[in-house]
């Protein structure tokens, strides 16, 4: 069986998952954080229970291996100097060999790379060529924090694994099916033709995965369903899926638009942005930093960007309560809008960090959607991170919890392009 690696390269991090294909068995997963620093953190989980959250065992050394409670799963940890992505990837591949996870690099026959912005050039995953890589570079303005890092990861892997098939999987490609009335802004049309000023969306790989799983769980053809998928994490987006395709999505030209998020504002009147800039004497870069990193749950609550922290003090802290209510309000507004756009909905799907793990957030959202015919089964909803229907048996609209698996979708796309 071939081994395929799914990669998500950030500006100072590298997340990966190694899968046995086509069996779709996860062999190892891990992350290298703080790339470019002397105290980079390397974590690799492997063995029979790689997803075990609680690991036991301690060591006084910076480099050590601990066992899961059942003794089957293992976790390798190390703190070391890693100068750049090339060194990070070399370290990671060598460690996979040292740990006996692979015998040599050639076992990895395909590498799939998450790329945030594909613009209008890419409506599906593609084999990486020099032309594709050049376009990813040119799209850096659409995702300046992501595309350069994604391209860096691609080049680094190509250098170390020249014989492996290299595939780019774009966050935006799933949303390329949106009709023009949904992706165009009501701006002078020339800005679209000159600069590509339009809605691109994000989290497409996640929305694509949970939609397909929802159809399987419901025992229906995806193309026959009207779905609304809620990817609720630090970054959050809502997508309307009709006939198996993305009809509309909440994120816009960039991941800043849409619902309120951990530190992102979501939708804001552009005139208000200008108004604040003028009075605060802020540059464009400073204003964008505020909208991206100091707003959302953090900005309203004034205490934390983490929904768990806010829920802990919701009853005693009015700003935490306000932040939660705003988050719920924005999500519900988009869901209502998309139900109207599609002329109904068959199922609402929760995924990502908050969607998968926050029992109270799911309840608050569904309680506000009762009039659409969705009823929550509170006993079924009392679960975290498991694939399950959380609506009652007589609910006209189904509510599902489906943990996302973008890495699996990336690996599948690699396999489909090997033929």
């Amino acid at each position: 069986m071939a081994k395929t690696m799914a990669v998500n390269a950030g500006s100072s991090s590298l997340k990966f998952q190694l899968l046995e294909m086509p069996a779709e068995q996860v062999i190892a997963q891990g992350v290298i954080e703080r790339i470019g620093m002397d105290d980079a953190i390397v974590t690799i989980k492997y063995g029979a229970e790689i997803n075990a959250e609680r690991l036991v065992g301690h060591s006084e050394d910076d480099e050590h291996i601990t066992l899961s409670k059942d003794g089957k799963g293992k976790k390798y940890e190390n703190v070391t100097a890693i100068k750049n992505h090339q060194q990070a990837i070399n370290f990671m591949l060598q460690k996979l060999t040292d740990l006996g996870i692979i015998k040599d690099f050639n076992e990895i026959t395909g590498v799939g790379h998450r790329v945030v912005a594909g613009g209008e050039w890419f409506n599906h995953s593609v084999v990486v060529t020099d032309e594709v890589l050049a376009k990813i570079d040119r799209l850096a303005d659409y995702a300046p924090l992501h595309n350069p890092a994604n391209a860096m990861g691609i080049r680094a892997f190509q250098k170390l694994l020249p014989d492996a098939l290299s595939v780019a999987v774009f966050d935006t490609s799933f949303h390329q099916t949106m009709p023009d009335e949904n992706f165009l802004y009501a701006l002078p049309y020339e800005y679209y033709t000159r600069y590509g000023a339009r809605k691109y969306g994000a989290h497409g790989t996640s929305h694509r995965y949970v939609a397909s799983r929802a159809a399987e769980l419901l025992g229906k053809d995806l193309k026959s369903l009207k779905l609304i998928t809620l990817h609720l994490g630090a970054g959050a987006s809502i997508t309307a899926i009709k006939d198996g395709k993305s009809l509309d999505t909440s994120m816009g030209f960039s991941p800043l638009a849409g619902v309120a998020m951990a530190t992102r504002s979501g939708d804001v009147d552009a005139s208000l942005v200008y108004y604040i800039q003028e009075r605060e004497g802020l540059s464009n870069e400073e204003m964008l930093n505020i909208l991206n990193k100091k707003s959302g749950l953090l900005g309203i609550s004034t205490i934390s960007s983490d929904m768990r922290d806010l829920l802990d003090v919701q009853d005693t802290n009015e700003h935490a309560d306000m932040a939660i209510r705003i988050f719920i309000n924005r999500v519900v507004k988009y869901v209502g809008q998309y139900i109207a756009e599609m002329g109904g909905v068959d199922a609402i799907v929760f995924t990502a960090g908050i969607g998968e793990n926050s029992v109270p957030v799911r309840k608050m959202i569904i309680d506000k959607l009762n009039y659409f015919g969705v009823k929550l089964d509170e006993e079924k909803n009392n679960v975290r991170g498991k694939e399950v229907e959380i609506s009652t048996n007589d609910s006209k609209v189904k509510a599902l919890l489906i943990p996302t698996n973008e890495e699996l979708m990336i690996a599948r796309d690699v396999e489909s392009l090997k033929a």
Side-chain angles (χ1 to χ4, degrees):
M1 288 187 179
K3 292 181 175 64
T4 295
M5 183 164 284
V7 178
N8 182 356
S11 58
S12 61
S13 67
L14 179 78
K15 296 179 183 178
F16 72 91
Q17 195 170 106
L18 184 65
L19 300 97
E20 192 88 55
M21 299 296 287
E24 299 186 352
Q25 178 185 353
V26 180
I27 303 167
Q29 63 184 19
V31 60
I32 301 178
E33 303 170 276
R34 297 170 64 85
I35 294 173
M37 305 186 74
D38 291 335
D39 57 348
I41 303 169
V42 183
T43 305
I44 300 174
K45 292 182 182 180
Y46 62 105
E49 300 293 338
I50 64 167
N51 291 314
E53 292 184 4
R54 297 190 65 184
L55 296 152
V56 296
H58 301 279
S59 170
E60 296 181 357
D61 301 325
D62 283 339
E63 177 173 299
H64 60 280
I65 296 173
T66 56
L67 299 176
S68 59
K69 294 182 75 174
D70 60 10
K72 296 179 181 179
K74 297 179 181 180
K75 183 169 75 168
Y76 164 86
E77 295 176 287
N78 189 13
V79 177
T80 186
I82 295 181
K83 296 180 180 179
N84 51 46
H85 283 70
Q86 189 73 61
Q87 188 178 20
I89 293 167
N90 187 61
F91 185 95
M92 179 263 289
L93 290 174
Q94 187 59 55
K95 192 51 61 178
L96 291 178
T97 305
D98 294 343
L99 295 171
I101 298 168
I102 58 175
K103 293 180 180 179
D104 60 62
F105 295 177
N106 293 327
E107 286 186 37
I108 301 172
T109 58
V111 183
H113 299 268
R114 178 206 180 200
V115 181
V116 170
E120 291 187 332
W121 279 322
F122 304 105
N123 59 11
H124 53 78
S125 301
V126 297
V127 174
V128 176
T129 62
D130 289 343
E131 181 183 0
V132 167
L133 202 46
K135 287 181 176 178
I136 292 172
D137 288 333
R138 288 172 62 185
L139 289 164
D141 286 344
Y142 290 26
L145 298 179
H146 298 91
N147 267 41
N150 301 153
M152 197 184 316
I154 292 172
R155 290 188 171 96
F157 267 100
Q158 285 182 328
K159 185 175 181 180
L160 289 170
L161 301 175
D163 296 327
L165 182 70
S166 181
V167 172
V169 180
F170 300 91
D171 275 6
T172 52
S173 63
F174 181 63
H175 302 301
Q176 285 297 298
T177 55
M178 289 188 293
D180 53 11
E181 66 266 27
N182 283 341
F183 74 69
L184 280 175
Y185 294 109
L187 296 169
Y189 190 73
E190 62 197 74
Y191 296 152
Y192 167 60
T193 56
R194 286 183 190 174
Y195 311 118
R198 53 157 287 177
K199 177 190 289 190
Y200 291 101
H203 298 142
T205 307
S206 175
H207 290 292
R208 180 161 58 106
Y209 174 77
V210 298
S212 65
R213 283 299 300 148
E216 291 177 27
L217 290 175
L218 295 171
K220 295 184 178 181
D221 183 350
L222 177 59
K223 293 181 180 179
S224 72
L225 294 170
K226 297 173 182 177
L227 302 173
I228 298 177
T229 50
L230 281 61
H231 181 106
L232 305 180
S237 63
I238 319 296
T239 295
I241 299 172
K242 186 178 182 181
D243 303 326
K245 301 175 181 178
S246 174
L247 176 72
D248 205 350
T249 194
S250 59
M251 284 183 168
F253 176 76
S254 77
L256 177 59
V259 300
M261 303 172 227
T263 62
R264 296 177 193 148
S265 64
D267 297 334
V268 176
D269 185 338
S271 295
L272 177 59
V273 174
Y274 178 75
Y275 178 87
I276 293 172
Q277 275 192 263
E278 287 286 292
R279 278 145 188 80
E280 293 288 318
L282 299 170
S283 67
N284 292 336
E285 291 75 15
E286 289 171 329
M287 191 69 233
L288 276 174
N289 185 64
I290 290 170
L291 293 170
N292 275 293
K293 298 182 179 180
K294 297 182 180 180
S295 300
L297 296 178
L298 175 62
I300 293 294
S301 73
T302 74
I303 58 172
S304 177
S305 63
D306 193 312
M307 178 63 77
R308 292 167 295 187
D309 295 338
L310 304 185
L311 289 168
D312 284 343
V313 298
Q314 182 179 13
D315 294 337
T316 58
N317 186 302
E318 63 176 321
H319 280 275
D321 178 64
M322 189 188 307
I324 294 168
R325 286 188 286 110
I326 286 174
F327 179 85
I328 301 298
N329 171 272
R330 303 304 191 264
V331 170
V332 170
K333 281 183 177 180
Y334 267 99
V335 172
Q337 174 184 324
Y338 291 161
I339 291 174
E341 275 193 71
M342 293 192 294
V345 64
D346 295 304
I348 296 170
V349 184
F350 291 86
T351 194
I354 297 173
E356 293 172 23
N357 297 295
S358 182
V359 174
V361 167
R362 291 195 300 266
K363 174 176 167 52
M364 284 185 276
I365 291 172
I366 292 176
D367 282 351
K368 287 185 174 292
L369 298 171
N370 287 157
Y371 64 96
F372 282 125
V374 57
K375 298 180 183 178
L376 180 70
D377 185 316
E378 296 204 24
E379 185 176 344
K380 291 180 182 177
N381 185 48
N382 191 25
V383 65
R384 292 174 174 81
K386 293 184 179 180
E387 197 172 78
V388 65
E389 180 183 332
I390 58 174
S391 49
T392 60
N393 294 335
D394 64 343
S395 181
K396 292 180 181 179
V397 175
K398 298 299 181 183
L400 305 173
L401 190 171
I402 301 178
T404 192
N405 196 335
E406 294 161 291
E407 292 82 8
L408 178 57
M409 291 302 290
I410 291 171
R412 285 176 177 173
D413 285 358
V414 173
E415 288 302 298
S416 70
L417 289 168
K418 282 183 179 181

